[in-house]
Amino acid sequence: MADTLEKWLNHTFSSGCETGQDYDAFQRAARADLRKQAKAAGYELHKFNPNHYEFSAVLRDTITGEFVYISISDVRYSRNEWYTHVLYRTMAHDKDWTGGYNQYCRWPELSQALERMRMRRCG
């Protein structure tokens, strides 16, 4: 799944007061891949929050109804950190921006991380 994003590794993204076409294309691909990874782990994309050269999302567990927060850092800095250091954490509800403790994984490992999170929650 994440193979579609590997072409963006080591890419030098444009910069400016508006996102460039390269980032817009990256974000569309990342959103589509996030949907696929979430679905594979039993989650759905509840909300996608596009930001300026970064994004966050709220996923909803289709079994338990619980929420998870996902975020990547600004793609213009710390080259490839968006791929190697994806933040995810539990949420008490879909507007809980402080949530549980921060955890990190690589983008292609997100689906497995979500599955492990469900197992820890459900015991």
Side-chain angles (χ1 to χ4, degrees):
M1 279 178 254
D3 294 342
T4 59
L5 294 185
E6 286 183 358
K7 74 177 189 175
W8 295 102
L9 287 171
N10 298 314
H11 179 77
T12 301
F13 285 92
S14 60
S15 190
C17 52
E18 292 186 22
T19 55
Q21 291 179 350
D22 58 342
Y23 178 75
D24 294 341
F26 163 79
Q27 185 171 263
R28 279 191 302 277
R31 182 179 182 163
D33 191 69
L34 178 58
R35 278 187 197 275
K36 289 177 188 173
Q37 289 203 63
K39 185 175 181 179
Y43 289 79
E44 64 186 7
L45 182 60
H46 179 73
K47 183 158 177 75
F48 189 82
N49 305 306
N51 294 311
H52 192 69
Y53 288 97
E54 60 186 296
F55 64 82
S56 65
V58 177
L59 306 179
R60 185 179 163 278
D61 188 318
T62 59
I63 296 169
T64 67
E66 294 177 320
F67 296 97
V68 174
Y69 176 78
I70 306 289
S71 178
I72 66 162
S73 58
D74 192 313
V75 298
R76 298 170 296 174
Y77 311 109
S78 302
R79 187 177 296 238
N80 298 333
E81 188 172 295
W82 63 267
Y83 189 85
T84 62
H85 206 71
V86 179
L87 176 129
Y88 66 101
R89 65 174 172 241
T90 59
M91 300 175 79
H93 50 78
D94 66 339
K95 299 207 184 329
D96 175 19
W97 306 120
T98 56
Y101 64 95
N102 292 347
Q103 301 175 72
Y104 298 90
C105 68
R106 293 170 42 85
W107 184 268
E109 299 164 356
L110 186 56
S111 184
Q112 294 87 357
L114 292 169
E115 289 172 354
R116 285 190 305 272
M117 182 177 278
R118 178 186 295 121
M119 284 190 275
R120 283 192 300 271
R121 281 179 155 179
C122 296

